[in-house]
Amino acid sequence: MSGVEQFNKTVTAMPEIQNEVAFDSEFIRSVRSDQNHTLKITLRFCFQQINPDQVQGQIMRSLAQHAGVTPPADGRNVGMHADYDRAVKFIKDWTSAEWLSFIGKVRAQAALWNNKFWLIPPDDFAYFDVTEGNWVNKSGKTVTRLNLKCEFELEITQYPPYAHRTIQVVNLIGTDFRSDDSHYDSEDPTPVNYSYADIRGTVVPTTQPTVAHEIGHAIGLPHIGVTRGLSQCQLAVMWGKNIHESSLPALYKGGEGSLACYGQFAGAGDINNIMGAGATFEPENARPWLDRIFLHLRLNQFEMGKALMSMSKWRVSLTPPCP
Ligand SMILES: [Zn+2]
């Protein structure tokens, strides 16, 4: 097997349409048998503040009061902003302390994806082997099959053309702003409690770091029900394409975004997953790294075909295996 130069060190991607899955990756090849290779995914977000209109900010304070919303005591501007459901919510100016706190919590949740998975190649995948000379027996060589450590970094940039995604963030007064892929609110980095029922009707309480879940989507992961082919979720996806939402039971509304696809009425392990309603990382969540390996291999068509065919034989470890 002719392995050594057959790697692309970096693979970069930029979204062609808004919210398309795009990220960069770097393959850090180990030359030592006692150290795993590393595949690092880098996702760049540009966060932009949405602040109230400066001219109307003070008038809006009294409007908020009339609507029964308490404006901030420090006299700063208030405004209104529509959420994903086009419901208009009251917002306030960002202070630099609040913004720093928001960014800090986002970074902490992004870091949950770092060093979570190790990929173990199958027996017939020799591209990651490291060959070392044997200094005791100079004619001999040692071949070691190295595993791959999965790293993740969220880079935050001020420059939108350089970002994989630009996200506008409102500083909410109150709660209940419905966020989406490119609009967050100040409450989003606060973990959310859910209590979904499993297949036996037992309530499974979970706490989800919402930003970490959204990062999962941004690197290409669908909801756990889609990944695991859960039957209720499959029904929701099928019905979502064929039946008008208003006539569907709540469990199935929203297709891939339905409660069924978050794991409701499936197993506790489905509900608990980071791509369900919980915070648990499992082997399926390593998919973005596993898929990406193949973009880092510089192989001819035949060898690439062979490598892709053995893809299902890769194993994912949640603890560091020996190299
Ligand atoms: Zn989701």
Side-chain angles (χ1 to χ4, degrees):
M1 200 77 63
S2 49
V4 183
E5 294 87 20
Q6 295 175 310
F7 297 107
N8 297 312
K9 189 171 186 299
T10 54
V11 175
T12 55
M14 286 305 283
E16 284 173 10
I17 51 166
Q18 204 190 354
N19 296 336
E20 190 178 42
V21 171
F23 50 84
D24 295 351
S25 55
E26 188 183 1
F27 179 77
I28 304 145
R29 195 171 163 272
S30 170
V31 288
R32 288 167 41 180
S33 60
D34 60 349
Q35 206 166 49
N36 283 318
H37 301 304
T38 302
L39 181 60
K40 179 179 177 180
I41 286 181
T42 300
L43 183 67
R44 268 187 308 281
F45 276 178
C46 172
F47 288 106
Q48 295 178 329
Q49 294 180 1
I50 293 185
N51 284 302
D53 184 288
Q54 298 306 301
V55 180
Q56 293 175 3
Q58 292 304 311
I59 303 165
M60 295 302 271
R61 282 182 65 88
S62 44
L63 201 71
Q65 261 162 341
H66 276 100
V69 172
T70 312
D74 57 11
R76 70 181 115 146
N77 285 327
V78 168
M80 286 169 125
H81 200 81
D83 73 1
Y84 182 71
D85 292 329
R86 303 215 174 124
V88 174
K89 300 291 159 76
F90 281 102
I91 61 166
K92 58 189 173 189
D93 268 333
W94 282 98
T95 64
S96 33
E98 286 167 342
W99 184 251
L100 281 175
S101 158
F102 172 85
I103 296 291
K105 287 178 193 164
V106 164
R107 282 189 195 281
Q109 288 195 22
L112 295 173
W113 286 96
N114 189 33
N115 292 338
K116 272 288 186 296
F117 315 107
W118 284 261
L119 307 179
I120 304 169
D123 290 344
D124 55 359
F125 187 96
Y127 301 105
F128 288 164
D129 289 358
V130 161
T131 307
E132 286 170 319
N134 184 325
W135 298 103
V136 181
N137 166 13
K138 290 203 170 172
S139 61
K141 279 185 175 169
T142 322
V143 178
T144 313
R145 175 131 324 153
L146 295 187
N147 301 313
L148 208 108
K149 181 165 81 141
C150 300
E151 291 186 350
F152 177 79
E153 189 183 357
L154 179 72
E155 271 182 20
I156 295 178
T157 171
Q158 309 289 320
Y159 184 53
Y162 183 58
H164 294 117
R165 190 167 297 195
T166 296
I167 296 166
Q168 301 193 310
V169 196
V170 295
N171 194 6
L172 210 54
I173 308 176
T175 49
D176 291 336
F177 185 91
R178 176 111 188 256
S179 301
D180 61 60
D181 291 351
S182 44
H183 300 90
Y184 284 10
D185 70 66
S186 42
E187 293 302 307
D188 282 336
T190 306
V192 180
N193 297 320
Y194 295 101
S195 34
Y196 285 2
D198 72 3
I199 192 165
R200 291 185 187 84
T202 310
V203 171
V204 180
T206 56
T207 302
Q208 182 164 70
T210 313
V211 172
H213 174 97
E214 290 306 323
I215 285 172
H217 285 313
I219 56 175
L221 288 168
H223 286 137
I224 195 68
V226 177
T227 303
R228 291 185 177 163
L230 302 178
S231 54
Q232 305 284 352
C233 170
Q234 286 181 321
L235 276 178
V237 173
M238 188 183 72
W239 284 345
K241 288 185 184 128
N242 300 305
I243 302 175
H244 193 270
E245 197 156 89
S246 60
S247 48
L248 286 175
L251 176 67
Y252 303 108
K253 281 188 207 290
E256 290 198 6
S258 63
L259 295 175
C261 293
Y262 277 86
Q264 171 117 299
F265 296 133
D270 303 314
I271 300 172
N272 268 319
N273 189 268
I274 186 71
M275 298 316 291
T280 308
F281 291 82
E282 284 161 289
E284 293 96 324
N285 304 126
R287 191 79 206 188
W289 285 266
L290 189 53
D291 287 343
R292 195 70 167 200
I293 289 171
F294 297 90
L295 293 182
H296 282 273
L297 290 174
R298 215 182 294 155
L299 302 176
N300 67 37
Q301 223 177 349
F302 174 74
E303 283 186 80
M304 185 59 93
K306 249 177 42 183
L308 285 169
M309 263 160 55
S310 69
M311 202 167 167
S312 62
K313 291 190 281 180
W314 282 74
R315 286 183 300 124
V316 178
S317 174
L318 300 172
T319 50
C322 298

